Amino acid sequence: MGARVPDEDARGAASEEGAGPVIRVERGHEPEGLEAIRKAEVKRLAAIVRKAPPRATDFGNKYNIARRDLWKAQGRTCCYCECRVDRLYNDVEHFRPKTRAYRGGDRPTHGYWWLAWTWENLLFACPRCNRRHKKNKFPLARGSGILPTGHSPPGPERALLIDPSGKDDPVDHIQFVPLHQAGKREKWIPVARGGSRRGKRTIHVLKLDRPALVTDYGDHVADLVNHHVKEIRDAIRAGDGRAVAKAWRIALKRLFHSRQVFQALSHDVLDHHFPLAIRQQWDLTLARPARAAR
Ligand SMILES: [Zn+2]
């Protein structure tokens, strides 16, 4: 429909250099009942939108029928920061915001109201990622078109946020790197892999390098991952192929089981200590982490 994003999108990205812990999510089948709700609710909203822009309260909360299925498919973790979410207290997350959307300019414009009950637009996120950081943000690349009302994504849109359930693997865009400071515990920080613009923007919008998370990443590495790194390294030093394979197998089982947190981080810590050449030498494989409905 000719709508375009103003040429401003470099502004929001600013100087933030962090990147994050998003991994792929496969939702599985749409929950029973969502289709009927979608049909009725889209019709109801269309009547409201004809008169005035919808308000948040116009949407109700019937999309929450999808909440439990999403939570289970995601291994009870946030789709963005991968922290554990033990309770189902918050709303589902709309990847394309439903009421209004900040696409790059200073002010929000219309949201994707017709996608508020669309399975492919729904995710489960923690309150910090959803309510404090992402909110209505949906930055688009400079010069990107805007999805026409009623259409299915992506249409002409070139989204800068990485969709955990989209076709791109978030791990291609975001990488954890260690930060060593004398006398302090090793830190792991997410950065844009290979300078990925989308990785950079996703970290920035979701604040995936916020201090509380960086502390949690450090705890995860110190309390869990480093134990396995040591076991694998000891076996390699001993030159014992069977022990190496066993330690690797145990590490993968512990670090990547369906409900385990911070899998992108664990992946990158293993990749850091045991890069591809070492893995090939010892016949070890390191798959990309993902969460899927079972
Ligand atoms: Zn989160």
Side-chain angles (χ1 to χ4, degrees):
M1 314 251 249
R4 301 202 86 77
V5 174
D7 284 347
E8 72 62 56
D9 81 314
R11 210 187 309 157
S15 59
E16 192 111 348
E17 230 2 286
V22 191
I23 63 170
R24 279 193 62 87
V25 167
E26 287 179 32
R27 296 177 184 81
H29 295 295
E30 164 172 294
E32 212 173 310
L34 182 60
E35 188 184 359
I37 288 172
R38 177 168 58 247
K39 282 182 179 163
E41 292 289 82
V42 168
K43 204 172 158 188
R44 184 176 65 79
L45 254 289
I48 293 172
V49 172
R50 271 196 288 275
K51 293 178 204 141
R55 292 160 305 168
T57 48
D58 288 327
F59 286 87
N61 60 3
K62 288 187 178 172
Y63 42 73
N64 278 340
I65 189 178
R67 187 167 54 174
R68 181 170 290 274
D69 286 25
L70 292 167
W71 181 63
K72 282 165 74 177
Q74 292 174 207
R76 304 183 177 194
T77 63
C78 170
C79 64
Y80 297 126
C81 74
E82 283 201 83
C83 74
R84 190 178 314 284
V85 185
D86 279 327
R87 288 170 53 218
L88 276 169
Y89 50 82
N90 53 315
D91 292 341
V92 300
E93 146 74 1
H94 292 83
F95 182 66
R96 282 179 165 75
K98 61 187 186 303
T99 314
R100 288 176 304 165
Y102 284 92
R103 294 180 177 83
D106 288 337
R107 274 187 262 160
T109 49
H110 70 279
Y112 301 83
W113 57 268
W114 65 98
L115 299 175
W117 303 270
T118 296
W119 182 227
E120 292 74 20
N121 193 44
L122 305 179
L123 289 161
F124 188 83
C126 75
R128 279 173 196 275
C129 286
N130 183 358
R131 294 182 192 172
R132 189 174 299 178
H133 298 297
K134 179 162 173 289
K135 297 191 275 194
N136 292 333
K137 300 184 194 107
F138 194 69
L140 298 175
R142 185 188 310 230
S144 167
I146 293 175
L147 184 67
T149 300
H151 284 224
S152 296
E157 283 189 339
R158 286 182 287 128
L160 290 175
L161 275 189
I162 298 163
D163 179 355
S165 65
K167 60 178 168 47
D168 296 330
D169 190 332
V171 175
D172 287 333
H173 297 273
I174 294 170
Q175 175 183 16
F176 281 89
V177 295
L179 256 187
H180 302 280
Q181 295 166 288
K184 287 192 182 170
R185 192 176 72 166
E186 172 186 87
K187 271 188 185 181
W188 285 80
I189 311 284
V191 298
R193 192 183 295 272
S196 163
R197 181 173 183 74
R198 296 177 62 210
K200 187 172 174 179
R201 194 60 174 265
T202 301
I203 292 159
H204 178 73
V205 166
L206 293 162
K207 292 285 180 288
L208 294 173
D209 51 2
R210 53 196 189 244
L213 268 178
V214 171
T215 300
D216 289 346
Y217 302 152
D219 289 346
H220 182 72
V221 174
D223 299 344
L224 182 63
V225 188
N226 278 348
H227 163 76
H228 294 287
V229 168
K230 184 178 178 304
E231 297 279 310
I232 297 161
R233 190 177 278 150
D234 288 349
I236 287 177
R237 283 208 184 108
D240 183 343
R242 284 180 64 176
V244 173
K246 187 180 175 192
W248 188 260
R249 200 167 57 242
I250 292 170
L252 297 190
K253 204 173 166 187
R254 288 284 307 281
L255 301 176
F256 302 106
H257 70 76
S258 62
R259 289 190 192 174
Q260 188 55 273
V261 299
F262 305 138
Q263 294 191 18
L265 169 62
S266 296
H267 172 278
D268 289 345
V269 175
L270 290 182
D271 187 43
H272 171 80
H273 290 292
F274 310 105
L276 187 60
I278 303 271
R279 300 203 295 273
Q280 285 174 337
Q281 189 186 337
W282 293 93
D283 201 18
L284 308 171
T285 53
L286 181 61
R288 290 300 183 81
R291 301 187 192 275
R294 285 176 300 164

